[in-house]
Amino acid sequence: MAFFLFLVLVAIVLGIVGVVVEGLLYLLFIGVAVFVAALVFLGSWLSRRRTRRGAGR
């Protein structure tokens, strides 16, 4: 879970720098890609956690 929060923080920082600094708009797109990767990571983490609970019953 800490890794997810770290990825979200990195995505926010990259997005802000990409918007503020002229000529570094590509950082905004990298930030969006990191955010999407963080959401995929969270989804896989939650699904793995859910299947482990069901297997123990």
Side-chain angles (χ1 to χ4, degrees), residues 3-7 9 11 13 16 21-22 28 34-38 42 44 48 52:
F3 185 63
F4 168 73
L5 294 175
F6 173 72
L7 285 177
L9 182 66
V13 169
I16 290 172
V21 178
E22 188 176 333
L28 175 64
V34 169
F35 184 71
V36 169
L42 179 67
S44 68
R48 259 188 312 192
R52 284 186 190 165

Side-chain angles (χ1 to χ4, degrees), residues 9-56:
L9 182 66
V10 168
I12 290 171
V13 169
L14 284 174
I16 290 172
V17 170
V19 169
V20 171
V21 178
E22 188 176 333
L24 294 181
L25 188 62
Y26 66 92
L27 286 180
L28 175 64
F29 298 121
I30 293 172
V32 169
V34 169
F35 184 71
V36 169
L39 290 178
V40 169
F41 172 76
L42 179 67
S44 68
W45 183 74
L46 288 176
S47 69
R48 259 188 312 192
R49 187 172 176 197
R50 197 173 298 164
T51 57
R52 284 186 190 165
R53 281 190 187 169

